[in-house]
Amino acid sequence: MRGAAPTIIVALCASLFVGVRTAGAQTSDDIVGTSDTIFVASLHNPLNYTTSYDRDVSTGTWTQSLNYGFNRPRFALSTAGSYSTVDQLGRPGLGAGAGTFSGRLDLRATKNWVVSADGRFNKSSTRDIVSESTQRQNRLKVSTQYSVAPWRGVGVRAVLSSEFQEDHSLAIRPPGRGVSRILVITDANGDSVGVDTFYVERDSTLTSGRQDGLTGQVDWKPKRWFQMVTSASGNRVRPTTTSHLGGSEQGSSLFQQRIDKVTGSVPNDNLQYQTRMTYSGPRGLVTWVKVNRTKNDQAYYDRTALRQELYSVDQRGGIMHLEQAPLRGLVVSLDGVLNRFFSEYRFRNDRNSLVSTKTGKVAAFFNPSVLTRAGIEFDIDFHRNSRQQSGNGDNVTRFLQATGAHRLSRKLSLDGVATASLTSFQYVDSVLDQDNARAYANLGGGYQVSERCSTVVHFSVSRGHNVAIDVSRSNNNNVQTTYQMDAAMKLGVTPRLSINQVYLLNAVYQIYDFASAESKNVLSRIRRIDTYVADSLFPFATFQLTHNFLSRDFGSFSRLPGGEERLYRIASETYVQTVSATINLKPITGVVLAATQSLSNTRIKSSGPTTVNNRWNLALGATVDRPILGNATLTGTVQHIGAYDERRSATDPLNEQDDWIAGVTLVKDF
Amino acid sequence: MPGMRREQRAATLAILSLFLAGGCGLFEPRDPRPGGGPGVSCATPNSPDNVVANVLNHYPELAGVTCYTDMLDASFAFHPDAADSNDALPDTVYANWNRDIEVRDATNIARNATFHVASFDSEYAARVISADQRTQVRFYAYHLIIHASQVAPDTLFRGLADITFFQGGDAQWHITNWVDKRDGSGARTWGYLRRVYRVGF
């Protein structure tokens, strides 16, 4: 940054003062700073308030937000605030809260000059039994922006900014629950004479600083078919951190205060650079290239280790996209990505990492008419992890996919998809080496007799092979093959009465690679039929009857000693049937009352006695979606779910469920 | 290919490319090294109980880590305790914690751990079962004992885990959602353990 900052400043200043033409409208979507468009309309947005409460089995969340803003030809104002709290139900006093308030004022002093003030204030807090913590973040940024168009097809924009930053954090732990920290003991001369373990029960930290920054963008469009946008930004902050630690020394119950003050001697520098070039050629040719570079330093207070930490990132990358339509209905595309991301910590060296990524993708999509579509895609990803304490190595993924569909007639259509992939983990520590191969094919079709009557059927097979390379893990290598049939039928008996059925047949074979693991080979089969009958009795009431049937068996699928064929020996059979009836009533517009009663019967046969279980379930609920109080809108649902198991003996548990679930939102404009 | 339209030629070329890519060993896994150590027993996940058994038996185990990761659905997401997430800031280590991240993270833990015990001690709330019986949410209190150099001196990890099980199109059960919470013990959570081992991905 130190070397690059002057270059950026000179380049941007030159761009600013060379300009003689007035700035035109920006031609790029990647605009830095404030867009011209917010000043063009006189727009008043009403004060909007939204509040919602969501309750599930374990948490209750209350969220409120308030927004206001207006736009004028000379200035624009936008403000927003939101706060949400999460309470742990059944654990009073425990939970979390987070909120933000932000405001922005933009003033157009002249046609090309904009002055802005931007404030953001965030707070988050958590409460649990062993700690209470609060973090606040205050930001106030003042910026000035100037735009010029020095030549035809060239736009230049620069933003100079200064941001005041404050971060507060406070954590309180009960006596005896302090976090241990090693402190250096110094004598009267300031020389270290030893170390001491200090149990921190209260730590508060204030980090403050001013971040000065400069951002610039040059947009060059010499021809209709070519555009280049370059932007660069740099900023610097020298933060000061003061920590107050309170707690006790090892073996002592005496509460003491310690103060650590760290004045940033090394500034935090942030530099970003990005260029994008776009070329549009004949016959649908579109190609663009984007390169970027980011260098960031971020000093922060590590609340886990209770010390000042510095996190540095050096990232550079490039993306390329090429797309052309050589034939009618055919689009061919090519994508490539190169990326290098190096992250480094001053103290937490175990989190340092360098990740290099190369990815490529080639695809072709053929869509000559509404009756036919087809596509083919091949992806390859290469990731290399290095400079880490562990997990260094390569991860390579290849993926191939082909899809197609064709409508043979007005009623009959066919479709299919096939994929193959291989993910290979090649670590420096080769014990973890593993290859995962997958293949999948699905073929099926649909037949539509009429608008109200149709059916679809699909057959699929998938095969997964996990191959651990090292002998310490390879004995578990196995091939899992799944054969499946999915079918669905829709029958509209009358305009009000409809019947839907979904069928599923499934068999999963898990066969281990090594003969020594023959006894572990298993087969699992499932049959499932779901039936839904729906009837809209009256305009204000509907009725739905559902029946779910599931049959599942499972057992070994292995050769007996000396045998040739694998035999299936069922170890367990399960049958589950559920019948449920639902009635929905609409007493007034926008309000629906619902009640669902269901009974689930589970029967399990295995080597022991057959077990039978009946579970009753009753759900009562209401849904609202309607305007109230003039221009306010209330939407939401409230539901009570109760369930229990039928006792077969007096000592059996009821396994009762008694839950309220709710989600209600009120929106009002003032 | 005389007589063929350009579209037909393009389609033929694409199909030939498919067979070429599939047939030249591009998707062929490597052969394992000769030999073979002790295997583990991995239950077919045709019920949520089998998924739970595989998680507890194989979570931080080098030989069985694949069995654990096979229990995760493609849509798997892990959500840390809010306080753990706050403590990690500005490091957004918990962001986008999907199945791929969990697989690599669990593999790293398994490689580093020298001793491990995982246990779901109790269910602190009644299960929530969807009307079609294909989704279950279970609320577990857990504890883990892990001896591993990267998290030393911590060895005990305790907390609450709200786990969602979903029966997918292949009729097998997988974990789609895992919400981690602190309990009142003051011990580090499973989420903290996971966080330490997410480096470089």
Side-chain angles (χ1 to χ4, degrees):
Chain A
M1 173 66 191
R2 281 190 199 104
T7 311
I8 294 172
I9 292 168
V10 168
L12 293 175
C13 291
S15 304
L16 280 174
F17 296 108
V18 159
V20 290
R21 296 167 61 90
T22 56
Q26 289 287 313
T27 52
S28 164
D29 293 332
D30 305 317
I31 294 170
V32 301
T34 304
S35 169
D36 295 341
T37 54
I38 68 167
F39 299 110
V40 296
S42 184
L43 183 64
H44 177 77
N45 299 314
L47 185 64
N48 176 267
Y49 174 68
T50 302
T51 180
S52 67
Y53 181 75
D54 291 291
R55 176 187 166 119
D56 59 24
V57 172
S58 59
T59 57
T61 304
W62 184 29
T63 303
Q64 299 176 85
S65 67
L66 192 66
N67 297 285
Y68 179 67
F70 59 83
N71 301 63
R72 297 285 183 272
R74 283 285 177 187
F75 61 92
L77 172 74
S78 64
T79 58
S82 66
Y83 199 81
S84 66
T85 57
V86 180
D87 291 314
Q88 304 285 340
L89 302 179
R91 304 165 74 200
L94 308 188
T100 182
F101 177 75
S102 62
R104 183 181 177 92
L105 176 66
D106 295 291
L107 177 65
R108 189 174 200 169
T110 69
K111 188 173 182 182
N112 301 331
W113 182 28
V114 176
V115 179
S116 304
D118 189 354
R120 285 167 289 133
F121 309 95
N122 303 320
K123 180 189 173 189
S124 67
S125 62
T126 60
R127 308 179 305 279
D128 61 34
I129 292 171
V130 294
S131 69
E132 282 184 37
S133 70
T134 305
Q135 284 89 46
R136 280 185 291 137
Q137 190 180 62
N138 303 328
R139 298 284 186 271
L140 180 60
K141 184 176 184 178
V142 179
S143 57
T144 176
Q145 168 185 314
Y146 199 79
S147 308
V148 290
W151 300 286
R152 183 180 175 81
V154 177
V156 179
R157 174 171 295 201
V159 182
L160 191 64
S161 66
S162 202
E163 182 176 83
F164 300 91
Q165 304 179 341
E166 273 190 359
D167 290 339
H168 301 256
S169 75
L170 171 66
I172 299 171
R173 303 170 191 85
R177 294 283 179 87
V179 176
S180 67
R181 187 187 175 197
I182 305 294
L183 294 179
V184 178
I185 301 171
T186 55
D187 61 14
N189 299 322
D191 298 326
S192 60
V193 293
V195 294
D196 185 19
T197 302
F198 188 68
Y199 288 91
V200 179
E201 292 160 5
R202 184 184 192 284
D203 65 88
S204 70
T205 301
L206 170 65
T207 301
S208 59
R210 195 189 78 208
Q211 185 179 62
D212 299 318
L214 181 62
T215 303
Q217 175 176 288
V218 178
D219 181 347
W220 180 41
K221 191 170 185 181
K223 300 289 182 187
R224 191 175 50 81
W225 41 265
F226 179 78
Q227 183 180 19
M228 185 171 87
V229 181
T230 297
S231 63
S233 69
N235 60 56
R236 169 177 289 188
V237 60
R238 192 186 296 270
T240 301
T241 301
T242 306
S243 301
H244 292 264
L245 302 177
S248 55
E249 291 183 0
Q250 193 170 21
S252 166
S253 59
L254 185 67
F255 189 85
Q256 302 174 35
Q257 286 279 2
R258 305 283 179 98
I259 297 176
D260 274 5
K261 183 163 185 175
V262 181
T263 303
S265 55
V266 180
N268 290 189
D269 290 335
N270 302 296
L271 175 66
Q272 287 184 315
Y273 165 78
Q274 179 176 294
T275 292
R276 176 184 166 125
M277 285 181 284
T278 306
Y279 170 75
S280 303
R283 306 188 69 172
L285 174 65
V286 176
T287 182
W288 51 263
V289 178
K290 186 174 173 181
V291 293
N292 69 81
R293 174 84 190 263
T294 301
K295 285 187 77 171
N296 283 342
D297 295 324
Q298 185 173 15
Y300 68 98
Y301 187 72
D302 185 337
R303 284 183 287 275
T304 304
L306 301 180
R307 69 182 167 212
Q308 190 74 5
E309 178 61 280
L310 179 67
Y311 173 57
S312 302
V313 167
D314 185 357
Q315 182 268 337
R316 66 186 79 160
I319 306 174
M320 182 273 296
H321 173 80
L322 178 66
E323 179 184 311
Q324 187 159 34
L327 301 173
R328 188 179 66 84
L330 178 66
V331 176
V332 179
S333 67
L334 182 69
D335 292 90
V337 176
L338 289 174
N339 196 43
R340 178 189 185 276
F341 188 94
F342 178 57
S343 59
E344 187 177 29
Y345 292 80
R346 177 181 287 169
F347 295 110
R348 298 178 62 187
N349 298 327
D350 59 345
R351 296 197 59 76
N352 292 351
S353 173
L354 173 61
V355 183
S356 305
T357 306
K358 299 171 194 169
T359 68
K361 172 180 164 184
V362 57
F365 298 99
F366 185 52
N367 196 1
S369 70
V370 293
L371 300 178
T372 306
R373 62 174 171 81
I376 183 171
E377 177 183 327
F378 178 67
D379 300 358
I380 186 156
D381 293 279
F382 175 87
H383 295 262
R384 170 166 290 170
N385 290 72
S386 55
R387 303 192 198 179
Q388 298 177 186
Q389 269 195 358
S390 61
N392 291 319
D394 299 339
N395 174 13
V396 185
T397 300
R398 297 164 192 143
F399 175 79
L400 179 66
Q401 176 175 276
T403 59
H406 183 63
R407 175 170 278 191
L408 297 170
S409 69
R410 195 176 60 80
K411 293 182 176 178
L412 180 63
S413 59
L414 296 176
D415 60 83
V417 59
T419 64
S421 68
L422 174 67
T423 303
S424 181
F425 297 93
Q426 300 162 17
Y427 291 98
V428 173
D429 175 11
S430 62
V431 172
L432 299 175
D433 274 12
Q434 179 160 331
D435 283 6
N436 297 337
R438 298 272 183 277
Y440 173 77
N442 184 316
L443 184 65
Y447 191 80
Q448 186 168 12
V449 180
S450 67
E451 190 68 32
R452 297 211 306 259
C453 182
S454 63
T455 183
V456 291
V457 182
H458 283 89
F459 299 91
S460 67
V461 57
S462 67
R463 185 177 185 274
H465 193 186
N466 295 332
V467 181
I469 307 301
D470 192 75
V471 292
S472 62
R473 301 169 60 219
S474 59
N475 208 25
N476 300 307
N477 294 349
N478 64 77
V479 176
Q480 185 167 303
T481 309
T482 303
Y483 299 94
Q484 185 161 317
M485 185 210 75
D486 297 276
M489 184 198 73
K490 188 174 89 173
L491 177 62
V493 181
T494 69
R496 288 185 168 180
L497 178 66
S498 65
I499 300 173
N500 291 328
Q501 276 201 308
V502 178
Y503 311 87
L504 181 146
L505 293 176
N506 169 284
V508 182
Y509 295 82
Q510 191 169 21
I511 308 296
Y512 284 78
D513 290 5
F514 290 102
S516 59
E518 177 70 23
S519 62
K520 293 199 296 182
N521 295 343
V522 291
L523 169 60
S524 169
R525 301 184 303 184
I526 285 182
R527 284 150 284 171
R528 186 180 179 107
I529 302 172
D530 299 319
T531 306
Y532 308 92
V533 180
D535 191 354
S536 52
L537 301 168
F538 307 102
F540 59 88
T542 60
F543 175 76
Q544 182 171 311
L545 185 68
T546 303
H547 178 254
N548 306 111
F549 170 77
L550 172 71
S551 163
R552 181 174 68 218
D553 55 52
F554 166 78
S556 66
F557 184 68
S558 56
R559 296 185 183 93
L560 292 171
E564 287 293 317
E565 294 287 319
R566 287 194 171 100
L567 299 175
Y568 181 37
R569 290 177 291 280
I570 296 175
S572 169
E573 290 178 84
T574 302
Y575 297 92
V576 181
Q577 292 200 67
T578 304
V579 180
S580 67
T582 301
I583 188 158
N584 296 301
L585 297 172
K586 198 187 292 181
I588 54 174
T589 305
V591 176
V592 176
L593 305 176
T596 301
Q597 170 85 68
S598 68
L599 169 64
S600 180
N601 170 264
T602 305
R603 185 180 298 268
I604 302 173
K605 291 184 189 174
S606 58
S607 55
T610 299
T611 61
V612 180
N613 183 53
N614 287 333
R615 185 169 179 81
W616 292 88
N617 184 301
L618 176 62
L620 301 171
T623 303
V624 180
D625 183 3
R626 58 175 293 146
I628 59 168
L629 304 173
N631 60 348
T633 306
L634 180 68
T635 57
T637 181
V638 180
Q639 193 176 35
H640 178 264
I641 300 173
Y644 70 95
D645 289 345
E646 238 180 44
R647 277 183 170 147
R648 309 196 83 75
S649 71
T651 55
D652 287 346
L654 275 174
N655 293 323
E656 279 185 290
Q657 183 182 355
D658 182 12
D659 294 318
W660 281 97
I661 297 172
V664 182
T665 301
L666 174 72
V667 179
K668 178 158 178 64
D669 291 338
F670 296 92
Chain B
M1 291 181 277
M4 290 179 78
R5 292 170 56 197
R6 284 197 300 178
E7 289 88 345
Q8 289 172 322
R9 282 203 294 271
T12 307
L13 190 66
I15 292 167
L16 284 175
S17 307
L18 267 179
F19 283 107
L20 192 66
C24 65
L26 205 58
F27 299 96
E28 199 66 37
R30 288 171 288 170
D31 290 328
R33 299 189 185 100
V40 299
S41 179
C42 187
T44 303
N46 49 23
S47 71
D49 290 332
N50 283 4
V51 176
V52 170
N54 287 337
V55 170
L56 296 181
N57 292 335
H58 304 301
Y59 175 69
E61 183 182 65
L62 190 59
V65 69
T66 305
C67 178
Y68 164 69
T69 56
D70 281 349
M71 299 302 106
L72 308 175
D73 191 79
S75 64
F76 173 83
F78 172 74
H79 307 279
D81 182 89
D84 284 341
S85 186
N86 263 347
D87 283 349
L89 288 174
D91 188 350
T92 54
V93 62
Y94 290 112
N96 304 316
W97 199 296
N98 56 25
R99 185 182 187 278
D100 291 340
I101 299 299
E102 179 68 7
V103 168
R104 299 186 70 175
D105 191 82
T107 305
N108 279 354
I109 296 173
R111 182 59 180 139
N112 192 234
T114 54
F115 177 79
H116 53 81
V117 172
S119 174
F120 288 153
D121 304 315
S122 61
E123 293 185 51
Y124 72 91
R127 298 172 183 176
V128 176
I129 303 170
S130 68
D132 66 356
Q133 308 280 314
R134 297 182 70 167
T135 304
Q136 278 196 24
V137 188
R138 297 186 181 186
F139 304 90
Y140 288 111
Y142 67 80
H143 84 267
L144 293 160
I145 298 173
I146 306 281
H147 291 186
S149 59
Q150 279 184 237
V151 285
D154 292 306
T155 54
L156 175 66
F157 302 87
R158 285 184 55 163
L160 308 174
D162 301 353
I163 304 175
T164 304
F165 302 87
F166 178 69
Q167 188 183 29
D170 61 356
Q172 297 201 8
W173 289 83
H174 291 95
I175 297 173
T176 55
N177 211 42
W178 187 312
V179 181
D180 191 47
K181 294 174 185 169
R182 291 182 181 182
D183 64 6
S185 66
R188 303 280 198 196
T189 59
W190 206 327
Y192 174 83
L193 173 72
R194 284 175 156 111
R195 163 192 159 188
V196 171
Y197 286 89
R198 183 179 179 180
V199 179
F201 53 89

